[in-house]
Amino acid sequence: DTAVSQTPKYLVTQMGNDKSIKCEQNLGHDTMYWYKQDSKKFLKIMFSYNNKELIINETVPNRFSPKSPDKAHLNLHINSLELGDSAVYFCASSLLAKNIQYFGAGTRLSVL
Amino acid sequence: GEDVEQSLFLSVREGDSSVINCTYTDSSSTYLYWYKQEPGAGLQLLTYIFSNMDMKQDQRLTVLLNKKDKHLSLRIADTQTGDSAIYFCAETLSGTDKLIFGTGTRLQVFP
């Protein structure tokens, strides 16, 4: 009955590979987000989608491509992984009208 | 700018009160939030306050908001070892649903 779930929890991969992280929410929210947390614990928004439409796209390399097949899912695909992509990636969701965001448990990505 | 400031560390004795402070930037923020992150875990929404309120109390948690100084604080009464975590304040940039997080305050509770 997890509200916002991400898979995988851990991802270890080589530089240059392509990988995806999946996120699903069962809260009936209309907006979903991806955040990145670096090694200093600093959290920054990357993307947000409302009803499958992209509404926030921060200055993120275009190697990162979010995909929202429906309102309950927002996946993050990363091409040509680099060492600097190593971080914890958090998915979140909210109702846009209220903007109380609930977060998943995070995916720890390590690029070797 | 978009910098939401917090002190980095706070150490308290079990049973004492903890006060975590935050200075935010956007005076038009509708909501202000406190999140808790335990080691290796995700972000847990602790509480939030609407910008037209000065104070909100929820069990051991008290949030104070000073809009004039753009200052937000979180007081934890009777702090327990299970409260040891990183606490993030966050604001919403007006006109967006973008959450801007503070730098986080690492709370350590010792017996």
Side-chain angles (χ1 to χ4, degrees), chain B residues 32-52:
Chain B
L32 294 136
Y33 313 81
W34 284 103
Y35 284 87
K36 176 184 180 184
Q37 185 176 28
E38 295 183 41
L43 287 157
Q44 174 195 351
L45 176 66
L46 275 182
T47 187
Y48 59 92
I49 187 167
F50 192 53
S51 57
N52 68 356

Side-chain angles (χ1 to χ4, degrees), chain B:
Chain B
E2 291 187 358
D3 290 342
V4 178
E5 302 282 344
Q6 295 179 242
S7 50
L8 286 179
F9 297 103
L10 177 64
S11 185
V12 300
R13 190 178 298 278
E14 195 173 13
D16 288 351
S17 292
S18 311
V19 179
I20 302 170
N21 294 304
C22 170
T23 304
Y24 61 97
T25 60
D26 187 348
S27 56
S28 304
S29 291
T30 311
Y31 288 101
L32 294 136
Y33 313 81
W34 284 103
Y35 284 87
K36 176 184 180 184
Q37 185 176 28
E38 295 183 41
L43 287 157
Q44 174 195 351
L45 176 66
L46 275 182
T47 187
Y48 59 92
I49 187 167
F50 192 53
S51 57
N52 68 356
M53 297 168 67
D54 297 325
M55 185 181 93
K56 180 179 179 182
Q57 186 147 7
D58 184 1
Q59 299 181 331
R60 293 191 297 123
L61 304 179
T62 304
V63 178
L64 294 178
L65 175 58
N66 179 332
K67 284 190 73 173
K68 176 176 162 290
D69 295 336
K70 289 189 258 185
H71 185 261
L72 182 73
S73 68
L74 174 70
R75 178 177 180 271
I76 306 173
D78 186 25
T79 314
Q80 302 297 308
T81 53
D83 295 325
S84 294
I86 301 176
Y87 290 80
F88 293 93
C89 65
E91 63 173 341
T92 318
L93 274 191
S94 59
T96 78
D97 62 342
K98 195 166 121 171
L99 274 188
I100 305 297
F101 281 88
T103 45
T105 299
R106 190 179 293 271
L107 174 65
Q108 184 176 17
V109 183
F110 59 92

Side-chain angles (χ1 to χ4, degrees), chain A residues 26-71:
Chain A
N26 62 5
L27 295 167
H29 288 164
D30 57 7
T31 307
M32 296 183 72
Y33 311 81
W34 279 108
Y35 287 82
K36 179 180 180 181
Q37 186 176 44
D38 65 21
S39 58
K40 292 193 168 79
K41 303 296 184 187
F42 185 65
L43 271 154
K44 193 168 162 64
I45 191 164
M46 299 171 71
F47 301 102
S48 79
Y49 269 73
N50 173 253
N51 285 319
K52 305 195 298 173
E53 300 286 328
L54 179 67
I55 53 171
I56 291 176
N57 183 354
E58 291 295 290
T59 311
V60 174
N62 57 15
R63 298 182 295 104
F64 289 79
S65 50
K67 293 271 190 315
S68 182
D70 55 56
K71 282 196 311 183

